[in-house]
Amino acid sequence: MASASHDKNSQPPASSLMVPYNDSYQTCERTVAQLRLYSGEIRPAEVTGLLGIEPTESTEAGGLIISKETGRPRLTKYNAWFLSSENIVNSKDLRRHLDWLLDRLEACSEALHELQTRDGVQMQISCIWWTAHGGGGPVLWPSQMERMAHLNLECGFEFADYSGDE
């Protein structure tokens, strides 16, 4: 089923209950939407070829990476392929980030569904919300939840509160 394009100015079907986009979301410090795809035995380069999308980050099992936390090198345990809105979508409204991600994933929905049938493959959308003042939270539209359902993707949320930090 083809989905309508969702550009920066698109809105879901009109409803008096829908909350409009708010790119300067006052309760949000920043937010990100990311597809996390752990590909089992499938190398990240093969995932890229199947999906026709370059990841924003990937790791190959047995590869060497430098830990962001400690600066120390370590071997990666998993083949992983990530597509993230971080540093690409300039909005504090998670819906903009989800629209960006879903637009890309819908374009390769058949390949995503094929990957989901393979042994050892796990994928989900992960949304991270950093609160600006110790409260608030993201809003999703039913149309976005429907789009995720058509892609057979679960959606997880992580919340962070650094509002008390100096």
Side-chain angles (χ1 to χ4, degrees):
M1 173 174 158
S3 178
S5 175
H6 295 273
D7 64 27
K8 181 172 175 146
N9 296 315
S10 68
Q11 293 283 337
S15 168
S16 61
L17 299 177
M18 295 285 188
V19 177
Y21 284 118
N22 180 357
D23 293 318
S24 62
Y25 221 117
Q26 292 76 17
T27 60
C28 180
E29 178 67 29
R30 70 185 180 106
T31 191
V32 170
Q34 177 183 70
L35 176 72
R36 295 178 178 173
L37 194 160
Y38 296 94
S39 54
E41 298 297 318
I42 305 167
R43 299 174 115 178
E46 185 179 344
V47 173
T48 299
L50 289 168
L51 299 180
I53 302 172
E54 286 294 324
T56 51
E57 183 179 351
S58 66
T59 61
E60 192 166 319
L64 189 65
I65 62 170
I66 305 299
S67 170
K68 292 177 185 177
E69 291 81 32
T70 65
R72 295 184 189 139
R74 65 179 175 87
L75 291 177
T76 58
K77 295 180 184 178
Y78 308 103
N79 286 317
W81 188 99
F82 304 107
L83 183 62
S84 175
S85 65
E86 188 167 26
N87 298 320
I88 297 171
V89 177
N90 186 22
S91 176
K92 293 182 180 181
D93 194 322
L94 178 62
R95 292 167 296 185
R96 293 268 195 221
H97 293 259
L98 276 173
D99 285 344
W100 177 88
L101 184 63
L102 292 169
D103 288 346
R104 277 133 195 90
L105 298 178
E106 284 172 335
C108 60
S109 62
E110 288 182 25
L112 273 177
H113 288 138
E114 194 277 323
L115 277 170
Q116 290 167 350
T117 67
R118 295 197 187 182
D119 287 338
V121 174
Q122 299 175 8
M123 61 181 85
Q124 73 161 4
I125 291 176
S126 176
C127 300
I128 308 171
W129 171 274
W130 288 266
T131 182
H133 309 292
V139 174
L140 300 181
W141 285 317
S143 60
Q144 291 170 315
M145 292 183 273
E146 182 178 35
R147 292 173 76 191
M148 288 185 278
H150 284 296
L151 293 169
N152 194 34
L153 290 172
E154 61 185 52
C155 183
F157 290 86
E158 298 175 36
F159 295 91
D161 178 5
Y162 300 110
S163 60
D165 290 355
E166 295 298 317

